[in-house]
Amino acid sequence: RGQTPAKQVLGMRVYRLTERRPAGWGRMALREVVVRWLLIGLLSAVTAGIGFIVAALLVLNTNRQTLWDLIAQTVVVDEP
């Protein structure tokens, strides 16, 4: 359904850009676990975590996507 427990509390949902529908379980797992933690591990090993923060903030584009959103082809939207 495109939500983690934290996103449910915050009233947010993750959508797939190509299909314009909420991300499914597999896409959410890719986005939340595989991509994000892989990037955190790689960047923190190289730059002690500073690179992760800089990369996450600098990769915001017009859709307000972070690096892991770009890789997973998702976008986070507010759903009040």
Side-chain angles (χ1 to χ4, degrees):
R1 298 180 315 170
Q3 290 182 307
T4 60
K7 290 203 181 346
Q8 287 177 337
V9 170
L10 296 172
M12 302 172 136
R13 191 175 301 267
V14 178
Y15 281 87
R16 291 196 61 180
L17 284 176
T18 56
E19 298 174 4
R20 297 183 185 254
R21 64 184 177 110
W25 187 89
R27 183 67 52 164
M28 290 296 289
L30 171 72
R31 182 185 178 276
E32 295 292 330
V33 178
V34 177
V35 175
R36 185 179 295 188
W37 291 107
L38 180 65
L39 288 172
I40 288 172
L42 290 174
L43 291 173
S44 64
V46 173
T47 61
I50 296 171
F52 171 74
I53 295 168
V54 172
L57 295 175
L58 290 178
V59 180
L60 293 174
N61 62 14
T62 57
N63 290 329
R64 298 179 59 198
Q65 292 172 288
T66 57
L67 184 57
W68 43 85
D69 283 319
L70 288 171
I71 293 170
Q73 298 177 345
T74 57
V75 64
V76 178
V77 296
D78 291 325
E79 287 194 339

